[in-house]
């Protein structure tokens, strides 16, 4: 699998993301935000966590207008895969590749801890390595992870089985306890928790590993 | 000419920052504050003096960048 990790000024989980992908067997290229095109043959675009452009205006809003994001949108429109983690999730909502928006945490505090997630669906390349309903431990580290969609969109997400991960103990106020959400074609995943921070025993847990392994399997089979 | 854009969370979207400000106002002894909503103001300095064009352009800016229409509403004043 060929993966591209997008790097914005202020990205700070780009190398962790690259290591997570590389450790699972992906061929990883880092792509600077000013690039107008992705490397040829990219299967998966990964948008990492951080504080792109200092979170100015709204988290992810400036990054979503960058040249590389136009290429990411085109990649997704061609049926390509994309994973956005934390700030990457915010960027994916700002580009409207995923529905909803991420607002300030309901408790107003920056949350930095390992949380328990429920794998809400195994029906996606990203989550196929987990059993539906499985509980996994993944770190969160965010100030603006309070996911919001209107009631109608929430009902549609539920009906279409597009909620990938849900918080067992929702501390940021996200509607429907949503921690991660899939696009309609199930090829774009945005999530606030950091699977790339749970891929090595040195991290304190390896529950994120199966997400990357699932992606690798998807392209090995193709 | 100048444009002033006010961006607010839509009514119905919980504003935790506004709630926190309201709580603190209460502890400072300011009774009777029924609600606080916090938003932002963006001031633009624009070329030209065509009011209609400015209104149209700033509306496009709001839709494209300045506001996130999933959670925010905006109001434009041209002066």
């Amino acid at each position: 699998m060929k993966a591209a990790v997008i790097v914005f000024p202020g990205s700070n989980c780009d190398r962790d993301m690259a290591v997570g992908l590389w450790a699972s067997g992906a061929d990883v290229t880092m792509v600077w935000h000013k690039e107008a095109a992705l490397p040829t043959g990219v299967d998966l675009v990964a948008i990492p966590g951080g504080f792109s452009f200092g979170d100015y205006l709204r988290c992810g809003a400036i990054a979503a207008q960058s040249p590389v994001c136009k290429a990411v949108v085109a990649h997704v429109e061609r049926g390509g895969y994309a994973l956005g983690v934390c700030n990457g999730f915010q960027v994916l909502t700002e580009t409207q590749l995923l529905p909803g928006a991420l607002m300030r945490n309901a408790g107003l505090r920056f949350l930095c801890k390992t949380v328990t997630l429920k794998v809400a669906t195994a029906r996606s390349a990203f989550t196929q390595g987990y059993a539906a309903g499985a509980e996994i431990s993944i770190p969160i580290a965010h100030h603006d992870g309070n996911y919001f969609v209107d009631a109608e969109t929430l009902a549609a997400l539920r009906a279409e089985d597009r909620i990938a991960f849900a918080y067992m103990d929702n501390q940021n106020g996200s509607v429907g306890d949503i921690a991660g959400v899939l696009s309609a074609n199930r090829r774009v995943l945005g999530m606030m928790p950091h699977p790339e921070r749970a891929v090595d025993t040195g991290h304190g847990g390896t529950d994120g590993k199966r997400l990357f392994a699932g992606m690798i399997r998807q392209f090995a089979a193709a | 000419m100048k444009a002033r854009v006010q961006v607010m969370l839509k009514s119905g979207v919980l504003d935790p920052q506004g709630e926190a400000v309201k709580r603190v106002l209460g502890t400072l002894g300011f009774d009777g504050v029924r609600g606080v909503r916090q938003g932002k103001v963006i001031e633009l300095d624009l070329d030209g003096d065509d009011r209609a064009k400015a209104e149209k352009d700033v509306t496009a800016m709001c839709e494209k960048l300045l506001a996130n229409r999933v959670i925010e509403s905006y109001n434009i004043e041209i002066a």
Side-chain angles (χ1 to χ4, degrees), chain B residues 7-42:
Chain B
V7 180
M8 296 294 293
L9 284 174
K10 286 181 184 171
S11 56
V13 176
L14 178 74
D15 174 9
Q17 295 181 94
E19 288 299 313
V21 171
K22 181 180 148 199
R23 223 170 24 246
V24 175
L25 287 173
T27 63
L28 289 173
F30 294 103
D31 296 329
V33 179
R34 291 170 68 171
V36 177
R37 306 283 287 171
Q38 183 182 315
K40 59 187 142 197
V41 170
I42 301 166

Side-chain angles (χ1 to χ4, degrees), chain A residues 126-165:
Chain A
F126 307 96
T127 56
Q128 61 180 336
Y130 303 99
E135 292 183 15
I136 61 173
S137 296
I138 304 283
I140 58 168
H142 60 248
H143 209 164
D144 297 82
N146 180 353
Y147 185 68
F148 177 84
V149 279
D150 60 28
E152 199 182 320
T153 312
L154 178 61
L157 292 177
R158 284 184 169 143
E160 295 164 18
D161 191 27
R162 285 168 55 189
I163 300 169
F165 298 104

Side-chain angles (χ1 to χ4, degrees), chain A residues 12-213:
Chain A
N12 62 14
C13 301
D14 43 331
R15 283 182 289 176
D16 308 58
M17 181 70 92
V19 168
L21 287 161
W22 168 79
S24 297
D27 171 10
V28 186
T29 311
M30 310 302 276
V31 180
W32 184 236
H33 69 111
K34 285 189 174 165
E35 298 290 334
L38 296 166
T40 40
V42 161
D43 301 304
L44 170 73
V45 174
I47 309 183
F51 300 86
S52 59
F53 297 92
D55 280 350
Y56 294 164
L57 190 64
R58 291 180 306 276
C59 303
I62 309 284
Q65 303 299 330
S66 64
V68 81
C69 270
K70 289 191 178 67
V72 173
V73 170
H75 162 83
V76 168
E77 283 172 351
R78 280 196 304 270
Y81 287 78
L83 167 67
V85 169
C86 201
N87 187 225
F89 184 14
Q90 294 161 342
V91 172
L92 288 173
T93 60
E94 284 285 345
T95 56
Q96 296 177 20
L97 290 174
L98 288 174
L102 281 313
M103 305 198 306
R104 184 51 46 105
N105 292 343
L108 298 174
R109 286 200 173 83
F110 189 96
L111 297 169
C112 185
K113 53 174 34 170
T114 296
V115 298
T116 307
L117 302 178
K118 187 175 98 174
V119 179
T121 182
R123 270 200 321 118
S124 77
F126 307 96
T127 56
Q128 61 180 336
Y130 303 99
E135 292 183 15
I136 61 173
S137 296
I138 304 283
I140 58 168
H142 60 248
H143 209 164
D144 297 82
N146 180 353
Y147 185 68
F148 177 84
V149 279
D150 60 28
E152 199 182 320
T153 312
L154 178 61
L157 292 177
R158 284 184 169 143
E160 295 164 18
D161 191 27
R162 285 168 55 189
I163 300 169
F165 298 104
Y167 299 107
M168 294 301 288
D169 178 15
N170 179 359
Q171 293 190 25
N172 62 19
S174 294
V175 293
D177 303 329
I178 293 175
V181 71
L182 292 157
S183 61
N185 71 1
R186 315 188 81 74
R187 292 182 175 199
V188 182
L189 169 67
M191 61 191 294
M192 287 312 295
H194 288 271
E196 80 283 6
R197 292 189 191 177
V199 295
D200 188 283
T201 48
H203 286 151
T206 57
D207 283 355
K209 225 171 165 172
R210 274 179 285 173
L211 187 149
F212 296 105

Side-chain angles (χ1 to χ4, degrees), chain B:
Chain B
M1 60 197 325
K2 306 253 190 212
R4 200 177 160 86
V5 178
Q6 188 188 57
V7 180
M8 296 294 293
L9 284 174
K10 286 181 184 171
S11 56
V13 176
L14 178 74
D15 174 9
Q17 295 181 94
E19 288 299 313
V21 171
K22 181 180 148 199
R23 223 170 24 246
V24 175
L25 287 173
T27 63
L28 289 173
F30 294 103
D31 296 329
V33 179
R34 291 170 68 171
V36 177
R37 306 283 287 171
Q38 183 182 315
K40 59 187 142 197
V41 170
I42 301 166
E43 290 181 339
L44 305 166
D45 196 357
L46 303 168
D47 279 341
D49 53 8
D50 182 341
R51 211 186 158 81
K53 181 181 183 300
E55 205 146 320
K56 187 166 157 269
D57 289 350
V58 176
T59 302
M61 293 176 204
C62 288
E63 291 289 333
K64 203 163 179 208
L65 180 68
L66 301 181
N68 180 336
R69 301 287 285 126
V70 176
I71 47 172
E72 293 170 330
S73 60
Y74 60 86
N75 182 49
I76 300 167
E77 288 167 37
I78 309 276

